[in-house]
Short mmCIF file of all heavy atoms in Angstrom, two decimals:
data_model
loop_
_atom_site.label_atom_id
_atom_site.label_comp_id
_atom_site.label_asym_id
_atom_site.label_seq_id
_atom_site.Cartn_x
_atom_site.Cartn_y
_atom_site.Cartn_z
N LEU A 177 -122.87 -50.75 52.57
CA LEU A 177 -123.95 -51.65 52.24
C LEU A 177 -125.00 -51.58 53.32
O LEU A 177 -124.65 -51.70 54.51
CB LEU A 177 -123.45 -53.10 52.16
CG LEU A 177 -122.56 -53.53 50.98
CD1 LEU A 177 -122.23 -55.03 51.07
CD2 LEU A 177 -123.29 -53.24 49.66
N ILE A 178 -126.22 -51.35 52.96
CA ILE A 178 -127.34 -51.36 53.92
C ILE A 178 -128.07 -52.66 53.71
O ILE A 178 -128.65 -52.91 52.67
CB ILE A 178 -128.27 -50.18 53.67
CG1 ILE A 178 -127.48 -48.85 53.79
CG2 ILE A 178 -129.42 -50.19 54.67
CD1 ILE A 178 -128.36 -47.60 53.48
N LEU A 179 -128.00 -53.51 54.75
CA LEU A 179 -128.58 -54.88 54.63
C LEU A 179 -129.76 -54.98 55.54
O LEU A 179 -129.64 -54.93 56.78
CB LEU A 179 -127.52 -55.90 54.99
CG LEU A 179 -126.22 -55.82 54.13
CD1 LEU A 179 -125.01 -55.52 55.01
CD2 LEU A 179 -126.04 -57.05 53.30
N ASP A 180 -130.94 -55.04 54.97
CA ASP A 180 -132.19 -55.08 55.75
C ASP A 180 -132.66 -56.54 55.88
O ASP A 180 -133.25 -57.06 54.91
CB ASP A 180 -133.25 -54.21 55.13
CG ASP A 180 -134.47 -54.06 56.06
OD1 ASP A 180 -134.53 -54.71 57.09
OD2 ASP A 180 -135.39 -53.27 55.67
N GLU A 181 -132.44 -57.15 57.03
CA GLU A 181 -132.84 -58.57 57.26
C GLU A 181 -132.27 -59.45 56.14
O GLU A 181 -132.94 -60.38 55.71
CB GLU A 181 -134.34 -58.71 57.38
CG GLU A 181 -134.99 -57.88 58.50
CD GLU A 181 -134.82 -58.49 59.87
OE1 GLU A 181 -134.05 -59.47 60.04
OE2 GLU A 181 -135.44 -57.97 60.83
N ALA A 182 -131.05 -59.15 55.73
CA ALA A 182 -130.54 -59.83 54.52
C ALA A 182 -130.31 -61.33 54.73
O ALA A 182 -130.15 -62.03 53.71
CB ALA A 182 -129.24 -59.13 54.08
N VAL A 183 -130.20 -61.81 55.93
CA VAL A 183 -130.01 -63.25 56.11
C VAL A 183 -131.22 -63.90 56.80
O VAL A 183 -131.23 -65.07 57.10
CB VAL A 183 -128.73 -63.58 56.89
CG1 VAL A 183 -127.51 -63.05 56.19
CG2 VAL A 183 -128.77 -63.04 58.29
N ALA A 184 -132.29 -63.09 57.04
CA ALA A 184 -133.40 -63.58 57.86
C ALA A 184 -134.15 -64.74 57.22
O ALA A 184 -134.73 -65.58 57.88
CB ALA A 184 -134.37 -62.42 58.13
N ALA A 185 -134.19 -64.79 55.87
CA ALA A 185 -134.98 -65.85 55.23
C ALA A 185 -134.15 -67.12 54.96
O ALA A 185 -134.67 -68.07 54.36
CB ALA A 185 -135.50 -65.29 53.89
N LEU A 186 -132.90 -67.10 55.35
CA LEU A 186 -131.99 -68.23 55.02
C LEU A 186 -131.91 -69.25 56.16
O LEU A 186 -132.03 -68.89 57.30
CB LEU A 186 -130.60 -67.67 54.69
CG LEU A 186 -130.52 -66.65 53.57
CD1 LEU A 186 -129.12 -66.10 53.47
CD2 LEU A 186 -130.95 -67.29 52.23
N ASP A 187 -131.67 -70.51 55.81
CA ASP A 187 -131.43 -71.52 56.83
C ASP A 187 -130.16 -71.10 57.63
O ASP A 187 -129.28 -70.44 57.12
CB ASP A 187 -131.08 -72.87 56.13
CG ASP A 187 -132.28 -73.45 55.46
OD1 ASP A 187 -133.40 -72.98 55.71
OD2 ASP A 187 -132.08 -74.33 54.61
N VAL A 188 -130.12 -71.59 58.89
CA VAL A 188 -129.08 -71.16 59.76
C VAL A 188 -127.67 -71.39 59.17
O VAL A 188 -126.78 -70.54 59.28
CB VAL A 188 -129.21 -71.83 61.15
CG1 VAL A 188 -128.01 -71.49 62.05
CG2 VAL A 188 -130.51 -71.36 61.82
N SER A 189 -127.44 -72.55 58.57
CA SER A 189 -126.07 -72.83 58.06
C SER A 189 -125.75 -71.89 56.89
O SER A 189 -124.59 -71.45 56.76
CB SER A 189 -125.96 -74.29 57.62
OG SER A 189 -126.82 -74.54 56.54
N ILE A 190 -126.73 -71.59 56.10
CA ILE A 190 -126.51 -70.65 54.99
C ILE A 190 -126.31 -69.24 55.50
O ILE A 190 -125.50 -68.48 54.99
CB ILE A 190 -127.71 -70.71 53.96
CG1 ILE A 190 -128.04 -72.13 53.58
CG2 ILE A 190 -127.43 -69.86 52.74
CD1 ILE A 190 -126.95 -72.84 52.80
N GLN A 191 -127.08 -68.91 56.55
CA GLN A 191 -126.93 -67.61 57.21
C GLN A 191 -125.45 -67.39 57.57
O GLN A 191 -124.89 -66.35 57.34
CB GLN A 191 -127.72 -67.61 58.51
CG GLN A 191 -128.99 -66.84 58.46
CD GLN A 191 -129.63 -66.67 59.86
OE1 GLN A 191 -128.98 -66.82 60.85
NE2 GLN A 191 -130.90 -66.37 59.85
N ALA A 192 -124.90 -68.42 58.20
CA ALA A 192 -123.53 -68.31 58.66
C ALA A 192 -122.56 -68.09 57.47
O ALA A 192 -121.66 -67.27 57.60
CB ALA A 192 -123.15 -69.56 59.43
N GLN A 193 -122.81 -68.76 56.37
CA GLN A 193 -121.94 -68.57 55.22
C GLN A 193 -122.02 -67.15 54.71
O GLN A 193 -121.03 -66.57 54.34
CB GLN A 193 -122.42 -69.53 54.08
CG GLN A 193 -122.10 -70.98 54.29
CD GLN A 193 -122.64 -71.85 53.19
OE1 GLN A 193 -123.08 -71.35 52.16
NE2 GLN A 193 -122.65 -73.14 53.44
N ILE A 194 -123.27 -66.62 54.62
CA ILE A 194 -123.39 -65.27 54.09
C ILE A 194 -122.82 -64.25 55.04
O ILE A 194 -122.18 -63.27 54.61
CB ILE A 194 -124.92 -64.97 53.80
CG1 ILE A 194 -125.47 -65.94 52.79
CG2 ILE A 194 -125.12 -63.51 53.35
CD1 ILE A 194 -124.94 -65.83 51.37
N LEU A 195 -122.95 -64.49 56.35
CA LEU A 195 -122.31 -63.55 57.30
C LEU A 195 -120.83 -63.59 57.22
O LEU A 195 -120.19 -62.52 57.23
CB LEU A 195 -122.74 -63.94 58.76
CG LEU A 195 -124.20 -63.68 59.10
CD1 LEU A 195 -124.54 -64.25 60.48
CD2 LEU A 195 -124.51 -62.17 59.09
N ARG A 196 -120.26 -64.75 57.06
CA ARG A 196 -118.81 -64.85 56.93
C ARG A 196 -118.37 -64.14 55.62
O ARG A 196 -117.34 -63.45 55.59
CB ARG A 196 -118.34 -66.29 56.90
CG ARG A 196 -118.10 -66.86 58.29
CD ARG A 196 -117.24 -68.10 58.26
NE ARG A 196 -117.91 -69.21 57.62
CZ ARG A 196 -118.73 -70.03 58.27
NH1 ARG A 196 -118.93 -69.88 59.57
NH2 ARG A 196 -119.36 -71.00 57.63
N LEU A 197 -119.16 -64.33 54.58
CA LEU A 197 -118.87 -63.66 53.32
C LEU A 197 -118.85 -62.11 53.50
O LEU A 197 -117.92 -61.44 53.04
CB LEU A 197 -119.91 -64.08 52.26
CG LEU A 197 -119.79 -63.36 50.91
CD1 LEU A 197 -118.55 -63.83 50.18
CD2 LEU A 197 -121.02 -63.63 50.05
#
Side-chain angles (χ1 to χ4, degrees):
L177 287 182
I178 302 177
L179 303 119
D180 188 355
E181 301 283 9
V183 300
L186 303 172
D187 293 344
V188 174
S189 64
I190 309 295
Q191 256 189 19
Q193 288 176 12
I194 299 293
L195 289 173
R196 274 199 293 273
L197 174 70

